Amino acid sequence: RISRNVAWAFCDLFRRRGTERMYSDDRLHLDDIGDWAAACDLLPSNSDQRYWQFDGALKEGSIYDNARQIAAYGRAAFTIIDGMYSVVRDVQQTAIRQHISPRNSFGYSGSRVFVLRPHGLRVKFTNAAKQYSPDEIIVYDAGYNADNATRFESLELPYCTSAKQAWREGKYHMAVAKYRPEEHRVSMDIEALGCTMGDLVRLTHDVFGVGIGSARVTSITEAAGRATAITIDETLDLPVTSAGLVVRVRRKSGSSLLVPINAPVVATS
C-alpha cells in the first residue's frame, strides 16, 4: 500500500513501478530499512506529525536518482550493502569500525570549505495546510532574526508538505554547513573492507597533525600474565615529558585500547 513514511516510500520505489513488481524482498536490506521506518514514524516534541514524511509521486528519472532523492527526505543516503539496496542514516555512531593511519592508507588529501554562511534559509515546500500550494518558511541561524538577517540562501523541498518538517530540515542543513566543513580522503587496500559508508572511524595523520605518529607493534613484553611494554617498528619524536600521552592500540576485533605511556625508551641508533 502507499505510505507517507520515507522508508516505505523508498522500498516501494524498488518493489514496484505501476503494477509491475521489480525486485523481491531479498534484494532489500529490510532490517536497516525497518529501523529507519520506525525512526521516521516517531513524533517530534514540537509537532503531532511524524518526524519525516515523503509526499510525492516520481514519474521520471532513474531509479537510483529517485532513491537518493527519497532517502534525503529521511536524512539518509542510498547505498548498496552486500548486494542489497539500503541506506546510511545520518545518526550518531558509537562503534569504531576502522583505524586509519599512514600505515594502512595512502594518497591522503583533504579540504576545508570557507564560506560566508547565510543568516537564514528560505525553505520552499508544498504546504498541506494551504491546499498544497507552494509556500516558504525562513529558518534563521543562531543569533539572527527578521530584524538583523541580511544574507539568505534557498533550500527546495517540493515533496515536504509540513511547515514544521521544513523548519527542522532547514535547521539540520544549516548545522551540517557549520559543523562539517572538512573532508578527508585516503586510498586503502584490503583494509578498506573493514568499514562502509556511514561507519565511525579513527583517523591519525601527520599531514593535519592528529597523533604523534603511527606504527605496528612488533613484540609485547609480559609479566604475570599482563603486558608491561610494547615494541614498535618506528622511532617516534615524543615530547620531553610523556605525561598525559597514550597509545591507541587497535585490537584484532577492531576495537580500541588506550594505554598510557609511562616510561618511553629513547632510541640510540
Side-chain angles (χ1 to χ4, degrees):
R1 63 185 178 86
I2 302 299
S3 174
R4 303 176 71 187
N5 184 296
V6 181
W8 298 136
F10 177 88
C11 279
D12 187 67
L13 177 69
F14 286 98
R15 296 176 67 180
R16 68 184 182 89
R17 176 157 299 182
T19 58
E20 179 183 356
R21 189 174 181 85
M22 298 185 64
Y23 296 105
S24 59
D25 289 350
D26 60 5
R27 294 293 305 278
L28 300 172
H29 206 296
L30 291 178
D31 289 341
D32 288 351
I33 295 174
D35 292 340
W36 182 33
C40 291
D41 275 339
L42 294 176
L43 293 177
S45 59
N46 65 340
S47 176
D48 58 355
Q49 298 174 334
R50 304 300 181 185
Y51 217 101
W52 294 300
Q53 296 182 156
F54 180 84
D55 293 317
L58 302 176
K59 298 181 180 180
E60 57 185 19
S62 74
I63 189 170
Y64 298 124
D65 287 342
N66 288 337
R68 294 184 185 95
Q69 184 173 191
I70 294 175
Y73 277 79
R75 295 188 193 174
F78 166 62
T79 189
I80 299 176
I81 301 176
D82 297 330
M84 294 184 288
Y85 299 116
S86 184
V87 294
V88 173
R89 294 171 55 203
D90 192 354
V91 295
Q92 183 177 4
Q93 305 291 332
T94 57
I96 300 173
R97 300 300 184 187
Q98 180 61 284
H99 296 66
I100 301 175
S101 75
R103 297 304 299 266
N104 63 358
S105 67
F106 58 94
Y108 169 82
S109 65
S111 61
R112 182 182 179 92
V113 178
F114 296 93
V115 297
L116 287 175
R117 295 200 314 273
H119 301 159
L121 281 180
R122 300 183 185 275
V123 184
K124 304 179 186 298
F125 68 106
T126 304
N127 197 337
K130 296 182 179 180
Q131 299 182 338
Y132 294 92
S133 60
D135 202 354
E136 178 183 278
I137 186 172
I138 299 179
V139 181
Y140 294 101
D141 199 1
Y144 293 96
N145 52 48
D147 296 327
N148 61 0
T150 58
R151 189 165 55 247
F152 295 91
E153 292 184 4
S154 296
L155 173 65
E156 296 191 3
L157 300 174
Y159 303 120
C160 171
T161 60
S162 164
K164 291 183 178 179
Q165 181 178 342
W167 182 86
R168 288 196 305 271
E169 295 313 291
K171 279 290 188 181
Y172 164 76
H173 283 280
M174 294 189 76
V176 168
K178 181 177 181 180
Y179 296 110
R180 294 177 178 172
E182 297 183 359
E183 182 176 291
H184 302 275
R185 298 175 294 275
V186 296
S187 297
M188 303 178 72
D189 52 22
I190 195 172
E191 288 223 30
L193 299 177
C195 57
T196 60
M197 184 173 67
D199 285 343
L200 176 63
V201 302
R202 294 286 185 184
L203 176 60
T204 299
H205 212 287
D206 56 290
V207 171
F208 51 91
V210 174
I212 295 176
S214 57
R216 297 187 184 277
V217 176
T218 58
S219 65
I220 300 175
T221 302
E222 296 185 354
R226 299 184 61 182
T228 58
I230 61 173
T231 303
I232 58 177
D233 63 354
E234 287 283 349
T235 300
L236 303 181
D237 186 14
L238 298 180
V240 176
T241 174
S242 61
L245 295 181
V246 298
V247 176
R248 181 182 293 276
V249 181
R250 183 179 68 170
R251 291 170 162 167
K252 291 182 179 179
S253 63
S255 61
S256 283
L257 176 65
L258 295 179
V259 183
I261 299 177
N262 294 325
V265 176
V266 178
T268 57
S269 59

